[in-house]
Amino acid sequence: ETASTLEAESGYSLETPLVTEFRQAVLQGDWTKVSDMLPSLGVGARDLGSARYLVSQQHYLELLEQRATSRALNVLRTDLAPNSVDSDRLHVLSSLMMCADPNDLRERAKWDGVDGSSRSKLLDELQNYIPTHAMLPQRRLATLLEQSKSYQKSLCMYHDPRAKFSLYTDHECSRAAFPNVTTNILEHDDQVWNLAWSRDGKYLASACKDRKATVWYIGPVEEGIGGRECRAVHVLRDHKFPVQVLEWSVDGKTLITGADQSLTMWDVESGNAVMEMKGHTENVSAIVALPDGSGYVCGGMDKKITFWDHKGVLVDEWTSPAMRVLDLAVTPDGTKLIVAAVVHAGGLWEPSVEQGFRPRDKSPPKPPSSRSSLHNGLSHRGSSSGLGGGASTASSMTGSSQLMMFDEDSGLPMRRRIIVYDLQTKEEEFKLSMPKEITSLSISSDSRYALINHAPDDLLLYDLVKRRTVRKFTGQQQREDVIRSCFGGVDEDFILSGSEDSSVYIWRKETGTLVEVLSGHGKGNVNAVAWNPKEVGMFASCSDDHTIRIWEAPPAGIALAEDLSSPSMSNGDYDGRAFSPPPPSKSQSPARYSHPYRSDSFDAGSGPTGSVGAGTLWPRNVR
């Protein structure tokens, strides 16, 4: 009725009389008429058989529902069988004649019958064969509106899926709601190389060049204060070398740290070392917790991938004579193991799909090489003295972006690969040849995408389903050291990366648009970034300047020094004139907490580079 009124008032017809007649024939079940009208609606000879097969299938099921078995058998023989291209489907349809009653038929056929929506669904399916100029697709207006929403979202620089959306106005999320200012600074005694959040987002673990790892508590926003309590819970000291990698257990009760070839399991509650996990003879380059909480996977430069149970006991070992592991990741669904590696070039040295990894053997481990060499940035600047048992790989620079590698054990040249394995069968699924250096991997929460740091200066988004690179992000600097990136945002709509120019870079994942270049860290690399898994408006970054920065949206009443309406190179500072902080609670210990936005919260002489003027608001520093 509404459509008729609209047609009468506008003078335009929604569809031709022929289409109206066809639609009514489908909804009324006049199957002979429907089949005869298909050619007149533009269904070509190539698709005519498939379209008539769908009509005959509906006719057949309705006859069975009416218990007209003889007529249904005739449709099966004369209409369905000649047009069938799927013999298995035809056998299933034939077996439906043995159904005890209509309810049994509907359940086995997964079909809701004449009184359901089966005819409307058939009409939708038939429209796939009818040209759009002849018959307007169902719900076309709704489709166009959804496309309009998607387009506007793609143009929104700081899109938040939680924001209200209306087609009455152009959609634009405010930068003021995006994490782009530093609210807390966590201080270390040396360069900070890596970060990892606990699954509940309450604790942050950091790996430092000073041979220590620190567990930080990041509290909730405190009412009346506007800031968070951030404090060091444990400083894990008993490492013989700089800490390079770390990983939380799924339940958050355990932390694994990797320093050179040593792996240590720590009890988070007590801060005590539980055990040393012995299994590698050269640098451990990656530790990943298995999603089901059953244990961990580790990879190293000693051509091993090791598997450990949740207690830190070695349960399996994959070895390859040809592959040194740079990084690895397990997809959150637990199906794939993705390895970034350098492998011997060509011939029998490169493991084939059939060869994969050799199972663990009982032979004595090879002693670590006494030679130290630069490999793919695993030795951070100034840290080589602490990595004497490092990778046995020699490098030869042949150009600004080309690095030829040779294995010191065999003297053979090595190539860079991303290799994807089935985690259960341990068989190789596929591999990618990478022309430049690979430094780190990150996997999206839906297990669909791999984020690959590809030096120099590339960040690649790889689709693990379609098996192709779908986007490249540029702007950050990465030439000498390991720089780590991550997914971020409510629906992982953003890509974040550290950089060797002391900045944090943020892009929209869908478009590759550079959204933010956040400065604030002192001289040196921003080595890693990590988005909080629970507090979706918070992420952390760590740097050679001995600090971790916690980034959040500016609190209510705070205005950034620059225009909030456009992306910029923000330094994370606040305009002191825009905010007057409330006094701290009398019951609050000054030693435990000071207001995060006051310049008197720390000694300016020991803080980040640059002067702090009177009245300037500054993030709180925590040691």
Side-chain angles (χ1 to χ4, degrees):
E1 183 180 347
T2 302
S4 300
T5 302
L6 184 61
E7 287 180 333
E9 292 180 353
S10 65
Y12 289 94
S13 297
L14 181 63
E15 57 189 19
T16 64
L18 182 63
V19 170
T20 301
E21 184 180 0
F22 176 78
R23 188 186 304 277
Q24 292 175 349
V26 172
L27 297 178
Q28 294 172 4
D30 190 346
W31 305 121
T32 300
K33 185 176 183 178
V34 170
S35 184
D36 291 342
M37 291 183 69
L38 287 172
S40 60
L41 289 170
V43 179
R46 184 177 180 179
D47 296 326
L48 188 58
S50 298
R52 283 177 171 167
Y53 179 85
L54 294 175
V55 174
S56 299
Q57 179 178 258
Q58 177 74 17
H59 189 193
Y60 170 73
L61 292 173
E62 290 189 9
L63 290 173
L64 288 180
E65 188 180 37
Q66 298 167 16
R67 311 300 291 167
T69 307
S70 298
R71 292 170 59 194
L73 181 60
N74 184 59
V75 171
L76 181 67
R77 289 174 174 173
T78 60
D79 298 333
L80 284 172
N83 292 320
S84 176
V85 294
D86 186 347
S87 58
D88 291 337
R89 177 59 181 168
L90 190 62
H91 290 156
V92 170
L93 291 173
S94 301
S95 68
L96 296 177
M97 299 192 71
M98 307 302 294
C99 291
D101 54 54
N103 289 331
D104 185 29
L105 168 70
R106 289 189 286 268
E107 182 178 352
R108 289 178 58 184
K110 294 180 174 56
W111 176 74
D112 61 1
V114 175
D115 295 333
S117 59
S118 62
R119 290 181 177 177
S120 295
K121 291 179 180 178
L122 173 63
L123 186 61
D124 289 345
E125 290 184 90
L126 290 175
Q127 283 192 263
N128 294 327
Y129 300 99
I130 299 173
T132 55
H133 65 79
M135 186 175 185
L136 188 68
Q138 292 278 14
R139 296 175 291 279
R140 184 58 184 166
L141 178 59
T143 300
L144 292 174
L145 292 177
E146 283 299 321
Q147 290 176 352
S148 175
K149 289 174 63 177
S150 297
Y151 176 70
Q152 289 202 44
K153 289 176 182 178
S154 70
L155 296 180
C156 179
M157 296 280 282
Y158 302 96
H159 181 64
D160 185 343
R162 300 168 299 178
K164 293 182 179 180
F165 194 97
S166 173
L167 289 175
Y168 291 122
T169 59
D170 290 341
H171 177 73
E172 184 178 11
C173 295
S174 171
R175 180 173 179 255
F178 189 80
N180 56 69
V181 295
T182 301
T183 55
N184 283 277
I185 298 176
L186 315 180
E187 295 185 344
H188 290 68
D189 294 327
D190 211 327
Q191 298 175 4
V192 190
W193 286 350
N194 210 341
L195 294 172
W197 288 100
S198 60
R199 300 302 194 274
D200 62 7
K202 295 179 180 179
Y203 295 91
L204 179 66
S206 55
C208 194
K209 180 186 173 183
D210 63 4
R211 307 184 184 186
K212 292 180 287 189
T214 304
V215 177
W216 301 88
Y217 170 71
I218 311 297
V221 174
E222 298 189 13
E223 294 184 8
I225 299 296
R228 299 176 184 271
E229 177 192 9
C230 298
R231 56 185 169 85
V233 179
H234 298 295
V235 179
L236 313 177
R237 304 176 184 276
D238 299 330
H239 300 95
K240 297 179 181 179
F241 300 96
V243 182
Q244 294 176 281
V245 290
L246 37 69
E247 175 69 317
W248 290 87
S249 61
V250 173
D251 61 10
K253 296 180 179 180
T254 303
L255 183 71
I256 310 293
T257 58
D260 195 70
Q261 65 192 42
S262 300
L263 290 167
T264 306
M265 175 177 284
W266 303 84
D267 177 73
V268 175
E269 183 176 0
S270 67
N272 296 327
V274 176
M275 66 180 300
E276 185 176 352
M277 301 160 59
K278 296 181 179 180
H280 287 274
T281 57
E282 295 184 28
N283 278 347
V284 176
S285 52
I287 312 168
V288 179
L290 294 172
D292 61 3
S294 61
Y296 307 88
V297 186
C298 301
M301 301 303 293
D302 54 1
K303 307 174 185 177
K304 293 180 184 178
I305 295 178
T306 54
F307 290 79
W308 312 76
D309 67 14
H310 68 284
K311 296 181 179 180
V313 177
L314 181 63
V315 295
D316 197 6
E317 181 179 291
W318 298 1
T319 62
S320 168
M323 184 170 71
R324 298 186 185 275
V325 178
L326 307 176
D327 199 3
L328 57 77
V330 174
T331 54
D333 61 10
T335 61
K336 293 180 176 62
L337 174 65
I338 303 165
V339 180
V342 286
V343 299
H344 290 119
L348 299 176
W349 283 99
E350 187 169 344
S352 64
V353 175
E354 294 78 13
Q355 179 184 349
F357 282 91
R358 292 202 303 266
R360 180 185 178 193
D361 58 37
K362 304 297 183 180
S363 58
K366 176 186 173 182
S369 170
S370 61
R371 292 169 290 188
S372 177
S373 57
L374 175 67
H375 179 268
N376 201 47
L378 284 175
S379 282
H380 288 261
R381 286 197 304 270
S383 64
S384 58
S385 61
L387 300 173
S392 305
T393 307
S395 306
S396 174
M397 188 68 71
T398 59
S400 60
S401 62
Q402 297 294 325
L403 190 67
M404 179 64 72
M405 296 181 178
F406 296 88
D407 192 317
E408 290 188 353
D409 295 335
S410 64
L412 293 175
M414 305 189 78
R415 293 177 180 170
R416 307 156 189 91
R417 295 285 188 269
I418 298 290
I419 309 170
V420 179
Y421 294 93
D422 184 298
L423 189 57
Q424 303 304 317
T425 65
K426 303 178 182 178
E427 293 182 356
E428 182 183 303
E429 293 188 358
F430 64 94
K431 59 188 171 187
L432 313 172
S433 177
M434 308 299 290
K436 297 184 287 187
E437 294 301 300
I438 314 164
T439 64
S440 63
L441 287 172
S442 181
I443 307 299
S444 61
S445 60
D446 62 1
S447 302
R448 176 72 184 266
Y449 298 102
L451 191 59
I452 305 169
N453 281 62
H454 193 221
D457 306 340
D458 283 348
L459 192 58
L460 306 179
L461 185 66
Y462 186 83
D463 191 321
L464 295 169
V465 176
K466 296 182 179 180
R467 299 187 180 183
R468 63 185 181 89
T469 300
V470 294
R471 198 150 290 110
K472 182 168 77 170
F473 307 92
T474 59
Q476 82 286 8
Q477 296 179 16
Q478 178 180 359
R479 294 181 179 273
E480 298 183 22
D481 298 323
V482 172
I483 300 295
R484 301 183 188 276
S485 57
C486 71
F487 295 87
V490 177
D491 292 334
E492 295 189 336
D493 289 330
F494 298 93
I495 300 295
L496 290 79
S497 180
S499 178
E500 292 178 5
D501 64 359
S502 308
S503 300
V504 175
Y505 285 73
I506 306 177
W507 302 264
R508 278 297 305 275
K509 183 181 74 173
E510 194 67 25
T511 62
T513 303
L514 182 61
V515 173
E516 290 281 357
V517 181
L518 302 176
S519 59
H521 277 290
K523 183 178 180 181
N525 300 343
V526 175
N527 295 307
V529 288
W531 198 281
N532 191 302
K534 295 298 182 182
E535 292 271 359
V536 294
M538 177 200 294
F539 71 89
S541 60
C542 65
S543 169
D544 287 349
D545 69 355
H546 305 187
T547 69
I548 297 171
R549 283 183 170 243
I550 304 298
W551 300 85
E552 299 179 76
I558 298 291
L560 292 182
E562 67 271 2
D563 181 9
L564 294 179
S565 64
S566 61
S568 65
M569 296 186 66
S570 170
N571 63 6
D573 295 350
Y574 298 122
D575 180 353
R577 297 167 298 175
F579 177 65
S580 178
S585 169
K586 292 182 179 180
S587 63
Q588 196 157 28
S589 168
R592 183 187 70 86
Y593 188 86
S594 56
H595 198 279
Y597 313 121
R598 295 182 63 96
S599 60
D600 58 2
S601 297
F602 75 111
D603 178 4
S606 63
T609 56
S611 62
V612 181
T616 301
L617 299 175
W618 193 264
R620 172 194 176 218
N621 280 41
V622 182
R623 292 188 65 85

PDB file of all heavy atoms in Angstrom, residues 26-49:
ATOM      1  N   VAL A  26       5.547 -16.007  -7.886  1.00  0.00           N
ATOM      2  CA  VAL A  26       6.434 -16.700  -6.935  1.00  0.00           C
ATOM      3  C   VAL A  26       5.777 -16.806  -5.576  1.00  0.00           C
ATOM      4  O   VAL A  26       5.753 -17.885  -4.950  1.00  0.00           O
ATOM      5  CB  VAL A  26       7.783 -15.960  -6.829  1.00  0.00           C
ATOM      6  CG1 VAL A  26       8.626 -16.562  -5.708  1.00  0.00           C
ATOM      7  CG2 VAL A  26       8.534 -16.016  -8.138  1.00  0.00           C
ATOM      8  N   LEU A  27       5.235 -15.697  -5.080  1.00  0.00           N
ATOM      9  CA  LEU A  27       4.666 -15.703  -3.733  1.00  0.00           C
ATOM     10  C   LEU A  27       3.392 -16.537  -3.655  1.00  0.00           C
ATOM     11  O   LEU A  27       3.033 -17.032  -2.580  1.00  0.00           O
ATOM     12  CB  LEU A  27       4.380 -14.268  -3.287  1.00  0.00           C
ATOM     13  CG  LEU A  27       5.630 -13.367  -3.158  1.00  0.00           C
ATOM     14  CD1 LEU A  27       5.230 -11.956  -2.754  1.00  0.00           C
ATOM     15  CD2 LEU A  27       6.617 -13.946  -2.151  1.00  0.00           C
ATOM     16  N   GLN A  28       2.683 -16.730  -4.789  1.00  0.00           N
ATOM     17  CA  GLN A  28       1.469 -17.549  -4.815  1.00  0.00           C
ATOM     18  C   GLN A  28       1.747 -19.000  -5.184  1.00  0.00           C
ATOM     19  O   GLN A  28       0.849 -19.836  -5.142  1.00  0.00           O
ATOM     20  CB  GLN A  28       0.463 -16.948  -5.791  1.00  0.00           C
ATOM     21  CG  GLN A  28      -0.071 -15.583  -5.338  1.00  0.00           C
ATOM     22  CD  GLN A  28      -0.910 -14.903  -6.396  1.00  0.00           C
ATOM     23  OE1 GLN A  28      -1.180 -15.478  -7.469  1.00  0.00           O
ATOM     24  NE2 GLN A  28      -1.336 -13.659  -6.111  1.00  0.00           N
ATOM     25  N   GLY A  29       2.970 -19.320  -5.580  1.00  0.00           N
ATOM     26  CA  GLY A  29       3.340 -20.704  -5.874  1.00  0.00           C
ATOM     27  C   GLY A  29       2.877 -21.204  -7.224  1.00  0.00           C
ATOM     28  O   GLY A  29       2.647 -22.417  -7.377  1.00  0.00           O
ATOM     29  N   ASP A  30       2.763 -20.304  -8.208  1.00  0.00           N
ATOM     30  CA  ASP A  30       2.403 -20.722  -9.571  1.00  0.00           C
ATOM     31  C   ASP A  30       3.699 -21.049 -10.306  1.00  0.00           C
ATOM     32  O   ASP A  30       4.232 -20.252 -11.089  1.00  0.00           O
ATOM     33  CB  ASP A  30       1.630 -19.597 -10.267  1.00  0.00           C
ATOM     34  CG  ASP A  30       1.017 -20.035 -11.589  1.00  0.00           C
ATOM     35  OD1 ASP A  30       1.412 -21.116 -12.094  1.00  0.00           O
ATOM     36  OD2 ASP A  30       0.159 -19.303 -12.105  1.00  0.00           O
ATOM     37  N   TRP A  31       4.210 -22.283 -10.110  1.00  0.00           N
ATOM     38  CA  TRP A  31       5.567 -22.615 -10.529  1.00  0.00           C
ATOM     39  C   TRP A  31       5.724 -22.748 -12.041  1.00  0.00           C
ATOM     40  O   TRP A  31       6.778 -22.406 -12.586  1.00  0.00           O
ATOM     41  CB  TRP A  31       6.040 -23.875  -9.822  1.00  0.00           C
ATOM     42  CG  TRP A  31       5.925 -23.745  -8.331  1.00  0.00           C
ATOM     43  CD1 TRP A  31       5.210 -24.532  -7.483  1.00  0.00           C
ATOM     44  CD2 TRP A  31       6.514 -22.725  -7.523  1.00  0.00           C
ATOM     45  NE1 TRP A  31       5.311 -24.093  -6.196  1.00  0.00           N
ATOM     46  CE2 TRP A  31       6.114 -22.980  -6.185  1.00  0.00           C
ATOM     47  CE3 TRP A  31       7.322 -21.619  -7.769  1.00  0.00           C
ATOM     48  CZ2 TRP A  31       6.500 -22.166  -5.129  1.00  0.00           C
ATOM     49  CZ3 TRP A  31       7.705 -20.826  -6.712  1.00  0.00           C
ATOM     50  CH2 TRP A  31       7.312 -21.096  -5.408  1.00  0.00           C
ATOM     51  N   THR A  32       4.710 -23.205 -12.721  1.00  0.00           N
ATOM     52  CA  THR A  32       4.789 -23.294 -14.179  1.00  0.00           C
ATOM     53  C   THR A  32       4.915 -21.893 -14.791  1.00  0.00           C
ATOM     54  O   THR A  32       5.739 -21.649 -15.681  1.00  0.00           O
ATOM     55  CB  THR A  32       3.540 -23.996 -14.746  1.00  0.00           C
ATOM     56  OG1 THR A  32       3.452 -25.312 -14.190  1.00  0.00           O
ATOM     57  CG2 THR A  32       3.622 -24.086 -16.266  1.00  0.00           C
ATOM     58  N   LYS A  33       4.117 -20.960 -14.273  1.00  0.00           N
ATOM     59  CA  LYS A  33       4.169 -19.590 -14.758  1.00  0.00           C
ATOM     60  C   LYS A  33       5.517 -18.945 -14.444  1.00  0.00           C
ATOM     61  O   LYS A  33       6.104 -18.242 -15.285  1.00  0.00           O
ATOM     62  CB  LYS A  33       3.037 -18.791 -14.127  1.00  0.00           C
ATOM     63  CG  LYS A  33       2.909 -17.362 -14.646  1.00  0.00           C
ATOM     64  CD  LYS A  33       1.688 -16.691 -14.031  1.00  0.00           C
ATOM     65  CE  LYS A  33       1.494 -15.289 -14.592  1.00  0.00           C
ATOM     66  NZ  LYS A  33       0.280 -14.641 -14.023  1.00  0.00           N
ATOM     67  N   VAL A  34       6.038 -19.193 -13.241  1.00  0.00           N
ATOM     68  CA  VAL A  34       7.333 -18.639 -12.855  1.00  0.00           C
ATOM     69  C   VAL A  34       8.414 -19.111 -13.808  1.00  0.00           C
ATOM     70  O   VAL A  34       9.231 -18.328 -14.306  1.00  0.00           O
ATOM     71  CB  VAL A  34       7.672 -19.019 -11.400  1.00  0.00           C
ATOM     72  CG1 VAL A  34       9.130 -18.663 -11.080  1.00  0.00           C
ATOM     73  CG2 VAL A  34       6.732 -18.332 -10.422  1.00  0.00           C
ATOM     74  N   SER A  35       8.452 -20.414 -14.072  1.00  0.00           N
ATOM     75  CA  SER A  35       9.477 -20.985 -14.954  1.00  0.00           C
ATOM     76  C   SER A  35       9.377 -20.424 -16.366  1.00  0.00           C
ATOM     77  O   SER A  35      10.394 -20.133 -17.007  1.00  0.00           O
ATOM     78  CB  SER A  35       9.338 -22.513 -14.970  1.00  0.00           C
ATOM     79  OG  SER A  35      10.358 -23.098 -15.729  1.00  0.00           O
ATOM     80  N   ASP A  36       8.135 -20.243 -16.844  1.00  0.00           N
ATOM     81  CA  ASP A  36       7.948 -19.740 -18.210  1.00  0.00           C
ATOM     82  C   ASP A  36       8.332 -18.260 -18.334  1.00  0.00           C
ATOM     83  O   ASP A  36       8.739 -17.813 -19.421  1.00  0.00           O
ATOM     84  CB  ASP A  36       6.485 -19.925 -18.635  1.00  0.00           C
ATOM     85  CG  ASP A  36       6.117 -21.388 -18.823  1.00  0.00           C
ATOM     86  OD1 ASP A  36       7.061 -22.212 -18.956  1.00  0.00           O
ATOM     87  OD2 ASP A  36       4.913 -21.704 -18.803  1.00  0.00           O
ATOM     88  N   MET A  37       8.227 -17.468 -17.263  1.00  0.00           N
ATOM     89  CA  MET A  37       8.479 -16.036 -17.327  1.00  0.00           C
ATOM     90  C   MET A  37       9.972 -15.685 -17.226  1.00  0.00           C
ATOM     91  O   MET A  37      10.344 -14.541 -17.540  1.00  0.00           O
ATOM     92  CB  MET A  37       7.723 -15.311 -16.207  1.00  0.00           C
ATOM     93  CG  MET A  37       6.204 -15.312 -16.374  1.00  0.00           C
ATOM     94  SD  MET A  37       5.393 -14.355 -15.062  1.00  0.00           S
ATOM     95  CE  MET A  37       5.896 -12.687 -15.485  1.00  0.00           C
ATOM     96  N   LEU A  38      10.794 -16.600 -16.796  1.00  0.00           N
ATOM     97  CA  LEU A  38      12.204 -16.286 -16.580  1.00  0.00           C
ATOM     98  C   LEU A  38      12.899 -15.734 -17.826  1.00  0.00           C
ATOM     99  O   LEU A  38      13.610 -14.718 -17.730  1.00  0.00           O
ATOM    100  CB  LEU A  38      12.943 -17.520 -16.051  1.00  0.00           C
ATOM    101  CG  LEU A  38      12.640 -17.893 -14.591  1.00  0.00           C
ATOM    102  CD1 LEU A  38      13.267 -19.237 -14.237  1.00  0.00           C
ATOM    103  CD2 LEU A  38      13.152 -16.807 -13.643  1.00  0.00           C
ATOM    104  N   PRO A  39      12.726 -16.338 -19.013  1.00  0.00           N
ATOM    105  CA  PRO A  39      13.397 -15.769 -20.201  1.00  0.00           C
ATOM    106  C   PRO A  39      12.944 -14.344 -20.527  1.00  0.00           C
ATOM    107  O   PRO A  39      13.754 -13.501 -20.937  1.00  0.00           O
ATOM    108  CB  PRO A  39      13.019 -16.737 -21.318  1.00  0.00           C
ATOM    109  CG  PRO A  39      12.710 -18.020 -20.620  1.00  0.00           C
ATOM    110  CD  PRO A  39      12.053 -17.608 -19.334  1.00  0.00           C
ATOM    111  N   SER A  40      11.659 -14.039 -20.317  1.00  0.00           N
ATOM    112  CA  SER A  40      11.159 -12.705 -20.639  1.00  0.00           C
ATOM    113  C   SER A  40      11.691 -11.640 -19.683  1.00  0.00           C
ATOM    114  O   SER A  40      11.647 -10.447 -19.996  1.00  0.00           O
ATOM    115  CB  SER A  40       9.624 -12.692 -20.624  1.00  0.00           C
ATOM    116  OG  SER A  40       9.134 -13.061 -19.344  1.00  0.00           O
ATOM    117  N   LEU A  41      12.221 -12.065 -18.524  1.00  0.00           N
ATOM    118  CA  LEU A  41      12.806 -11.117 -17.574  1.00  0.00           C
ATOM    119  C   LEU A  41      14.298 -10.929 -17.797  1.00  0.00           C
ATOM    120  O   LEU A  41      14.963 -10.235 -17.028  1.00  0.00           O
ATOM    121  CB  LEU A  41      12.561 -11.596 -16.137  1.00  0.00           C
ATOM    122  CG  LEU A  41      11.116 -11.486 -15.648  1.00  0.00           C
ATOM    123  CD1 LEU A  41      10.955 -12.198 -14.318  1.00  0.00           C
ATOM    124  CD2 LEU A  41      10.711 -10.019 -15.511  1.00  0.00           C
ATOM    125  N   GLY A  42      14.830 -11.548 -18.838  1.00  0.00           N
ATOM    126  CA  GLY A  42      16.228 -11.334 -19.179  1.00  0.00           C
ATOM    127  C   GLY A  42      17.190 -12.389 -18.664  1.00  0.00           C
ATOM    128  O   GLY A  42      18.414 -12.192 -18.732  1.00  0.00           O
ATOM    129  N   VAL A  43      16.681 -13.495 -18.125  1.00  0.00           N
ATOM    130  CA  VAL A  43      17.572 -14.568 -17.673  1.00  0.00           C
ATOM    131  C   VAL A  43      18.153 -15.247 -18.904  1.00  0.00           C
ATOM    132  O   VAL A  43      17.410 -15.784 -19.745  1.00  0.00           O
ATOM    133  CB  VAL A  43      16.824 -15.591 -16.792  1.00  0.00           C
ATOM    134  CG1 VAL A  43      17.771 -16.702 -16.356  1.00  0.00           C
ATOM    135  CG2 VAL A  43      16.215 -14.897 -15.576  1.00  0.00           C
ATOM    136  N   GLY A  44      19.473 -15.231 -19.037  1.00  0.00           N
ATOM    137  CA  GLY A  44      20.123 -15.781 -20.210  1.00  0.00           C
ATOM    138  C   GLY A  44      20.115 -17.290 -20.230  1.00  0.00           C
ATOM    139  O   GLY A  44      19.859 -17.960 -19.216  1.00  0.00           O
ATOM    140  N   ALA A  45      20.419 -17.836 -21.407  1.00  0.00           N
ATOM    141  CA  ALA A  45      20.410 -19.292 -21.581  1.00  0.00           C
ATOM    142  C   ALA A  45      21.407 -19.974 -20.655  1.00  0.00           C
ATOM    143  O   ALA A  45      21.178 -21.098 -20.198  1.00  0.00           O
ATOM    144  CB  ALA A  45      20.728 -19.630 -23.040  1.00  0.00           C
ATOM    145  N   ARG A  46      22.514 -19.277 -20.322  1.00  0.00           N
ATOM    146  CA  ARG A  46      23.539 -19.868 -19.466  1.00  0.00           C
ATOM    147  C   ARG A  46      23.037 -20.084 -18.043  1.00  0.00           C
ATOM    148  O   ARG A  46      23.423 -21.049 -17.365  1.00  0.00           O
ATOM    149  CB  ARG A  46      24.767 -18.956 -19.452  1.00  0.00           C
ATOM    150  CG  ARG A  46      25.950 -19.494 -18.683  1.00  0.00           C
ATOM    151  CD  ARG A  46      27.123 -18.548 -18.807  1.00  0.00           C
ATOM    152  NE  ARG A  46      28.287 -19.024 -18.082  1.00  0.00           N
ATOM    153  CZ  ARG A  46      29.455 -18.392 -18.038  1.00  0.00           C
ATOM    154  NH1 ARG A  46      29.589 -17.236 -18.710  1.00  0.00           N
ATOM    155  NH2 ARG A  46      30.456 -18.889 -17.347  1.00  0.00           N
ATOM    156  N   ASP A  47      22.159 -19.187 -17.564  1.00  0.00           N
ATOM    157  CA  ASP A  47      21.671 -19.266 -16.183  1.00  0.00           C
ATOM    158  C   ASP A  47      20.270 -19.838 -16.067  1.00  0.00           C
ATOM    159  O   ASP A  47      19.779 -20.052 -14.957  1.00  0.00           O
ATOM    160  CB  ASP A  47      21.672 -17.864 -15.556  1.00  0.00           C
ATOM    161  CG  ASP A  47      23.071 -17.288 -15.435  1.00  0.00           C
ATOM    162  OD1 ASP A  47      24.019 -18.071 -15.204  1.00  0.00           O
ATOM    163  OD2 ASP A  47      23.223 -16.047 -15.559  1.00  0.00           O
ATOM    164  N   LEU A  48      19.631 -20.058 -17.192  1.00  0.00           N
ATOM    165  CA  LEU A  48      18.223 -20.469 -17.156  1.00  0.00           C
ATOM    166  C   LEU A  48      18.044 -21.804 -16.445  1.00  0.00           C
ATOM    167  O   LEU A  48      17.108 -21.980 -15.642  1.00  0.00           O
ATOM    168  CB  LEU A  48      17.667 -20.544 -18.577  1.00  0.00           C
ATOM    169  CG  LEU A  48      16.150 -20.766 -18.698  1.00  0.00           C
ATOM    170  CD1 LEU A  48      15.391 -19.650 -17.987  1.00  0.00           C
ATOM    171  CD2 LEU A  48      15.740 -20.849 -20.176  1.00  0.00           C
ATOM    172  N   GLY A  49      18.929 -22.768 -16.689  1.00  0.00           N
ATOM    173  CA  GLY A  49      18.817 -24.082 -16.050  1.00  0.00           C
ATOM    174  C   GLY A  49      18.948 -23.991 -14.542  1.00  0.00           C
ATOM    175  O   GLY A  49      18.194 -24.629 -13.788  1.00  0.00           O
TER     176      GLY A  49
END
